[in-house]
Each structure stands twice: as structure tokens, then as C-alpha cells.
Amino acid sequence: MISMLYQDRALAVCLKLPGALSQDGPGETMPALLRAQLGGDIFPVHRLDREAGGVMVYARTGRAAGALSAAMTGGQFQKKYLCIVRGRPEEPEGVYRDLLLHDRARNRSFVVKRMRGGVKEARLDYRLLAEKDGQSLLLVRLHTGRTHQIRVQFASRGMPLPGDGRYGGGSGALALWSCSLAFPHPVSGKVMTFQALPEGTVWDAFSETLALLESTSGSFPV
């Protein structure tokens, strides 16, 4: 059963299951699971890496899908993530800007030095929340939505995410979670914000920090 955070006739906000595709495709997919659980149409409007989990929104009508997609393109979605990295950033908070090239055949992204065909700019802000046993818990805000962006931007600086075998983080559950999502409702235009703490044993080492973050701030600022 998929955990639902909110639903109405236009949209459904839920917690994506790690391992399920965020869009339609082969194997277990979130749209198919939601159609079975809620009935009716489900339209993906944004993506989350298959191995990651957390807050996502899906449209339930074609009109809502168009409005949400337009809001996404117009920069009206605010996405925040929690991740664990090996090591520690040089600064407790900062901005990473890179040029990323995605190799579709290998499904890998690479940091490159110059603009050329297929290369896109990538930007994120991060804040260090806690350190333990050679790992760091980070709160990340994405300003662009490139494939594997968080994973490759940190891995390229020698800080892969645990469980990210694709970028040097080894085996196991991927330590990446969509913790907060804000966007305008496709019908009313009212800005809606949803958040959720990560689930799974990969986060256990930082459980006290995560609980404190939620209880003291009521949100995930970065």
C-alpha cells in the first residue's frame, strides 16, 4: 500500500517506494500502483530516481497534468532532499554548480568542463546537518532537475552516497530521500507544501538529528 499525504480530484501526493519507477515503464511503477490503489488515471509530472524514495505528486486529470508540468517548467516547484554522503563537504553550507552530460545508453551522468551538445547546467544548495562515523547528513535544495544530479554532483567531489553503486557508493539502500515538495495547486493556484522524514535502516545513524529537525523547525529550510 502506498502512503498517501494528500489527494483530491486533480492530484495525488504520496511517498514513492524505493525501487519503483516514478514513471510508466517495465517492472513495478508508481503510476500503475496508484491506478490500482486509487482508480482512474494517473499522470506523472516529475521524476525521482528509481532507487530513491520520498514525496512525489501525480496528476489525476490531463488538465491538472498540463498545469503542473507548466509550473515545473516555470520554476514554481520547490524540491528538497535529504541525503547521506561519505566524507564531509569543505564548507558547512554552499552551492554546487556544474555542467552535466547524461549518457542515455549507459544511464550515467558526468561532470564536464565545457558546454556542448547534450550538456546542461546543474545547480543545488546544501546544508550540513550532522556528521557521524565518517559520513554526513545533508539537506539539499535542487534548482535544476538533471538526471542523477545530487548523486553525481557529490560523487564528483569525492562524496558518493551510500548505496549508490553507479557512482561509487557501494551496495545497499540508496541514502537519498525527497523530503519536501512545494508547488501551486493546478486548479486553485494555492501553494501546497508536503514533507516527510525518510524511512529505512540506512537513516538510523541520524535518527535523532532527523527527529530534531522536524520538531524544531516544522519545515526543511535550506
Side-chain angles (χ1 to χ4, degrees):
M1 183 73 70
I2 296 172
S3 296
M4 304 302 301
L5 302 181
Y6 175 85
Q7 58 181 300
D8 60 24
R9 293 181 179 180
L11 56 81
V13 182
C14 65
L15 296 185
K16 177 188 172 297
L17 303 174
L21 281 176
S22 59
Q23 297 192 322
D24 288 301
E28 187 176 53
T29 73
M30 289 297 296
L33 293 171
L34 287 170
R35 290 178 192 119
Q37 183 169 324
L38 303 178
D41 293 327
I42 293 292
F43 301 88
V45 294
H46 66 121
R47 298 184 181 186
L48 185 59
D49 292 352
R50 183 171 195 157
E51 301 89 344
V55 184
M56 289 195 72
V57 59
Y58 289 87
R60 302 185 72 177
T61 69
R63 186 171 184 175
L68 288 170
S69 295
M72 172 77 68
T73 302
Q76 294 177 278
F77 269 60
Q78 186 180 88
K79 303 176 184 179
K80 298 178 183 179
Y81 298 79
L82 288 162
C83 69
I84 299 172
V85 300
R86 292 182 177 174
R88 181 189 188 280
E90 292 184 3
E91 301 294 335
E93 58 184 78
V95 180
Y96 287 165
R97 294 182 176 89
D98 292 297
L99 298 177
L100 297 188
L101 175 66
H102 180 58
D103 184 336
R104 292 181 179 275
R106 300 167 61 187
N107 194 24
R108 285 178 60 93
S109 293
F110 301 89
V111 173
V112 298
K113 295 183 178 180
R114 61 181 180 83
M115 255 312 178
R116 60 180 189 271
V119 174
K120 297 180 179 180
E121 293 182 354
R123 178 190 167 196
L124 61 78
D125 300 348
Y126 73 85
R127 177 180 295 179
L128 175 65
L129 299 179
E131 300 176 66
K132 189 172 184 179
D133 299 330
Q135 296 185 332
S136 300
L137 175 67
L138 306 177
L139 179 62
V140 177
R141 179 180 176 184
L142 280 185
H143 294 278
T144 54
R146 312 308 180 198
T147 302
H148 303 164
Q149 180 178 334
I150 293 174
R151 297 158 63 181
V152 71
Q153 285 197 270
F154 283 102
S156 69
R157 292 169 170 84
M159 297 177 288
L161 278 62
D164 190 1
R166 190 180 302 275
Y167 296 103
S171 60
L174 178 65
L176 177 62
W177 182 267
S178 171
C179 66
S180 179
L181 183 64
F183 57 89
H185 190 278
V187 177
S188 69
K190 179 182 178 181
V191 175
M192 309 180 74
T193 302
F194 301 92
Q195 59 188 45
L197 290 175
E199 302 172 350
T201 57
V202 67
W203 305 95
D204 285 353
F206 296 102
S207 58
E208 292 183 6
T209 301
L210 292 171
L212 182 63
L213 174 70
E214 184 180 48
S215 64
T216 57
S217 69
S219 63
F220 297 103
V222 64

